[in-house]
Amino acid sequence: MALSRVCWARLAVWGSAVTPGHFFTRRLQLGRSGLAWGAPRSSKLHLSPKADVKNLMSYVVTKTKAINGKYHRFLGRHFPRFYVLYTIFMKGLQMLWADAKKARRIKTNMWKHNIKFHQLPYREMEHLRQFRQDVTKCLFLGIISIPPFANYLVFLLMYLFPRQLLIRHFWTPKQQTDFLDIYHAFRKQSHPEIISYLEKVIPLISDAGLRWHLTDLCTKIQRGTHPAIHDILALRECFSNHPLGVNQLQALHVKALSRAMLLTSYLPPPLLRHRLKTRTTVIHQLDKALAKLGIGQLTAQEVKSACYLRGLNSTHIGEDRCRTWLGEWLQISCSLKETELSLLLHNVVLLSTNYLGTRR
């Protein structure tokens, strides 16, 4: 009896300490945990969270590539002309993105090491120059696409006016050749006008020797003769001050030079002079960097691009002739001082008008 009383007393104490709710919860927990006592799970269910995420990402990438491949085959089979445009557009975006990353890397290196633009190697200088020009051209598209639903109009304009609105990354190979010919035809139209302005200022030159040299140079160009390097360098003093310095040129003369440099000529003359001086200074800096690198280090495409920038239509000229012409340009450019850059600006016309192999 004493033993039974002790057992009942302990049971009462335990019952008062543990509530029925708690006892029921423990029963549920034990019941649920009993599931783990069954057969062992497969090893695939015991991967770490990182492995699960990695496998999921790999699966998504694989499925995306498969769907993208099917989409490309569908477009190529049912819409071949649209597929060509779509492919060029996607490749153009990839190239533009790669150019942006490279330009950012160059800029970061410049800020980190306190390097100026003219201190960069030739290829980095040329990349920044071309990227700035491409971004400036794309800026107009960005502005007109701001209003709601204007992106549909932008796509239509891009399709109708690819030369005016798109950069070279989005041109087909045939368009690249045709558009470069069109641009060169625009700047070639201003060549006779620039030569006539040079003839008009001959009486304003005080030195008789310089007057004779400039008259002889204009006569040779008008007769279709390609001038020699010494014929151009003999006029260095003439282009360093009045009347052929950049700041002393007449407004119409400045507008004609702007067209020869593929710059808009509808701006006020002071702004046109500033743009011409900036463009000529950049080309002069590129020439110095290229002289250090050496023309022989350039690829065929780099040589043709360098010649086209300096006024020669290199799309229809052989690589060897382009290298020869570029060598003549560098001899003249590297001999000039900053005060004589007006001669380098006119050299776009003087050296390229009658070069052998150019398309008339």
Side-chain angles (χ1 to χ4, degrees), residues 103 105-118 120 124 128 132:
R105 185 168 61 251
I106 295 173
K107 278 289 189 180
T108 302
N109 186 59
M110 291 173 63
W111 294 331
K112 185 181 299 183
H113 298 92
N114 195 21
I115 300 175
K116 303 299 182 182
F117 176 78
H118 66 275
L120 291 172
E124 293 185 357
L128 285 183
R132 290 171 183 170

Coordinates of all heavy atoms in Angstrom, one line a residue, residues 103 105-118 120 124 128 132:
A103 N 36.4 49.7 -73.5 CA 36.6 51.1 -73.2 C 36.6 51.4 -71.7 O 37.3 52.2 -71.2 CB 35.5 51.9 -73.9
R105 N 37.5 49.3 -69.4 CA 38.8 48.8 -68.8 C 39.9 49.8 -69.1 O 40.8 50.1 -68.2 CB 39.1 47.5 -69.4 CG 40.3 46.8 -68.8 CD 40.4 45.4 -69.3 NE 40.5 45.2 -70.7 CZ 39.5 44.7 -71.5 NH1 38.4 44.4 -71.0 NH2 39.7 44.6 -72.8
I106 N 39.9 50.4 -70.3 CA 41.0 51.4 -70.6 C 40.8 52.6 -69.8 O 41.8 53.2 -69.3 CB 40.9 51.7 -72.1 CG1 41.2 50.5 -73.0 CG2 41.9 52.9 -72.5 CD1 41.0 50.7 -74.5
K107 N 39.6 53.1 -69.6 CA 39.3 54.3 -68.8 C 39.7 54.0 -67.3 O 40.3 54.9 -66.7 CB 37.9 54.7 -68.9 CG 37.5 55.5 -70.1 CD 38.1 56.9 -70.0 CE 37.5 57.8 -71.1 NZ 38.1 59.2 -70.9
T108 N 39.4 52.9 -66.8 CA 39.8 52.6 -65.4 C 41.3 52.6 -65.3 O 41.8 53.1 -64.3 CB 39.2 51.2 -65.1 OG1 37.8 51.2 -65.2 CG2 39.6 50.8 -63.6
N109 N 42.0 52.0 -66.2 CA 43.5 52.0 -66.2 C 44.0 53.4 -66.3 O 45.0 53.7 -65.6 CB 44.0 51.1 -67.3 CG 45.5 51.0 -67.2 OD1 46.1 50.5 -66.3 ND2 46.2 51.4 -68.3
M110 N 43.4 54.3 -67.1 CA 43.8 55.7 -67.1 C 43.7 56.4 -65.8 O 44.6 57.1 -65.4 CB 43.0 56.4 -68.3 CG 43.4 55.9 -69.7 SD 42.3 56.7 -70.9 CE 42.7 58.4 -70.7
W111 N 42.5 56.2 -65.2 CA 42.3 56.8 -63.9 C 43.2 56.3 -62.8 O 43.7 57.1 -61.9 CB 40.8 56.6 -63.5 CG 39.8 57.3 -64.4 CD1 40.0 58.5 -65.1 CD2 38.5 56.9 -64.6 NE1 38.9 58.8 -65.8 CE2 37.9 57.9 -65.6 CE3 37.7 55.9 -64.2 CZ2 36.7 57.8 -66.0 CZ3 36.4 55.8 -64.7 CH2 35.9 56.7 -65.6
K112 N 43.4 55.0 -62.8 CA 44.2 54.4 -61.8 C 45.7 54.8 -61.9 O 46.3 55.1 -60.8 CB 44.2 52.9 -61.9 CG 44.9 52.1 -60.8 CD 44.8 50.6 -61.0 CE 43.3 50.2 -61.0 NZ 43.2 48.7 -61.1
H113 N 46.2 55.0 -63.1 CA 47.6 55.3 -63.3 C 47.8 56.7 -63.7 O 49.0 57.1 -64.1 CB 48.3 54.3 -64.3 CG 48.3 52.9 -63.8 ND1 47.2 52.0 -64.2 CD2 49.1 52.2 -63.0 CE1 47.5 50.9 -63.7 NE2 48.6 50.9 -63.0
N114 N 46.8 57.6 -63.7 CA 46.9 59.0 -64.1 C 47.5 59.1 -65.5 O 48.5 59.9 -65.7 CB 47.7 59.8 -63.1 CG 47.5 61.3 -63.2 OD1 46.5 61.7 -63.8 ND2 48.5 62.0 -62.7
I115 N 46.9 58.4 -66.5 CA 47.4 58.4 -67.8 C 46.5 59.3 -68.7 O 45.3 59.2 -68.6 CB 47.5 57.0 -68.4 CG1 48.4 56.1 -67.6 CG2 47.9 57.0 -69.9 CD1 48.4 54.7 -68.0
K116 N 47.1 60.2 -69.5 CA 46.3 61.0 -70.4 C 46.0 60.3 -71.7 O 46.7 59.3 -72.0 CB 47.0 62.3 -70.7 CG 47.4 63.1 -69.4 CD 46.1 63.5 -68.7 CE 46.5 64.4 -67.5 NZ 45.3 64.8 -66.7
F117 N 45.1 60.8 -72.5 CA 44.7 60.1 -73.7 C 45.9 60.0 -74.7 O 46.1 58.9 -75.3 CB 43.6 60.9 -74.4 CG 43.1 60.4 -75.7 CD1 42.3 59.3 -75.8 CD2 43.6 61.0 -76.9 CE1 42.0 58.8 -77.1 CE2 43.2 60.5 -78.1 CZ 42.4 59.4 -78.2
H118 N 46.7 61.1 -74.8 CA 47.8 61.0 -75.8 C 48.9 60.1 -75.3 O 49.8 59.9 -76.1 CB 48.3 62.5 -76.1 CG 49.0 63.1 -74.9 ND1 48.2 63.7 -73.9 CD2 50.2 63.1 -74.5 CE1 49.1 64.2 -72.9 NE2 50.3 63.8 -73.3
L120 N 48.4 57.0 -74.3 CA 48.0 55.6 -74.5 C 48.7 55.0 -75.7 O 49.1 55.7 -76.6 CB 46.5 55.5 -74.7 CG 45.6 55.9 -73.5 CD1 44.1 55.9 -73.9 CD2 45.8 54.8 -72.4
E124 N 44.7 51.4 -78.2 CA 43.8 51.9 -77.1 C 43.2 53.3 -77.4 O 42.0 53.6 -77.2 CB 44.5 51.9 -75.8 CG 44.8 50.5 -75.3 CD 45.4 50.5 -73.9 OE1 45.6 51.6 -73.3 OE2 45.6 49.4 -73.3
L128 N 39.2 54.0 -78.1 CA 38.4 55.1 -77.4 C 37.8 56.1 -78.4 O 36.7 56.5 -78.2 CB 39.3 55.8 -76.4 CG 39.6 55.0 -75.1 CD1 40.4 55.9 -74.2 CD2 38.3 54.6 -74.4
R132 N 33.7 56.5 -78.8 CA 33.1 57.8 -78.5 C 32.2 58.1 -79.7 O 31.1 58.6 -79.6 CB 34.1 58.8 -78.3 CG 34.8 58.7 -76.9 CD 36.0 59.7 -76.8 NE 36.7 59.5 -75.6 CZ 37.9 60.1 -75.4 NH1 38.4 60.9 -76.3 NH2 38.5 59.9 -74.2

